[in-house]
Amino acid sequence: MQLTMLKSKLHRACVTHAELDYEGSCAIDSELLERAGILEFEQLHIYNLTNGERFTTYAIPAEPGSRIISVNGAAAHKAAPKDRLIICTYVALTEAEARMHQPRLVYCNARNEVTGTGHKITAQAA
């Protein structure tokens, strides 16, 4: 049995560009990609906190230190500059691997600067 587990997350990343005519993908500052452990061409699941849209695309690197988050191609209809996103990747693991797995969580501010990192999400309280 394989379980699909969260591999990495960029939490509250801020869209800097939405480029309809650029080849489809999501360009992300390569420093952020590295911090989150996201590879070039890796599938992304993107959840737009601003408008509720959810979509799938793939990662391409943007210039290191640029803080770019550019939603490109058809996905540009689902996000606009200043929208806040949760960008996730997932991995298939055996149950034994899943019990040992720790995702890479990267928290961003409105300028796409890293404000924190972690491997666990605090339990939600009532």
Side-chain angles (χ1 to χ4, degrees):
M1 174 174 59
Q2 294 280 301
L3 302 170
T4 303
M5 304 295 291
L6 179 67
K7 177 185 167 235
S8 56
K9 174 172 81 163
L10 291 170
H11 190 75
R12 297 188 61 82
C14 187
V15 176
T16 59
H17 301 78
E19 303 286 344
L20 184 62
D21 294 322
Y22 193 83
E23 185 175 351
S25 58
C26 182
I28 300 172
D29 179 325
S30 61
E31 291 177 357
L32 291 173
L33 289 176
E34 187 172 326
R35 290 287 294 266
I38 300 171
L39 301 177
E40 183 175 10
F41 304 120
E42 186 169 358
Q43 184 179 73
L44 303 174
H45 293 259
I46 300 179
Y47 314 115
N48 189 325
L49 291 165
T50 305
N51 65 21
E53 291 282 358
R54 299 166 72 95
F55 54 99
T56 304
T57 188
Y58 59 93
I60 61 172
E63 182 179 345
S66 66
R67 302 298 174 236
I68 287 174
I69 303 287
S70 183
V71 180
N72 301 320
H77 290 289
K78 298 184 175 287
K82 298 187 181 178
D83 283 1
R84 300 302 289 270
L85 308 177
I86 299 171
I87 302 172
C88 295
T89 63
Y90 296 90
V91 63
L93 301 171
T94 66
E95 184 176 350
E97 290 170 328
R99 292 188 183 282
M100 304 290 289
H101 174 69
Q102 292 189 331
R104 291 170 78 169
L105 311 175
V106 178
Y107 299 90
C108 300
N109 65 18
R111 293 180 305 280
N112 292 325
E113 298 166 332
V114 175
T115 60
T117 60
H119 298 289
K120 293 200 177 277
I121 297 172
T122 305
Q124 185 170 343

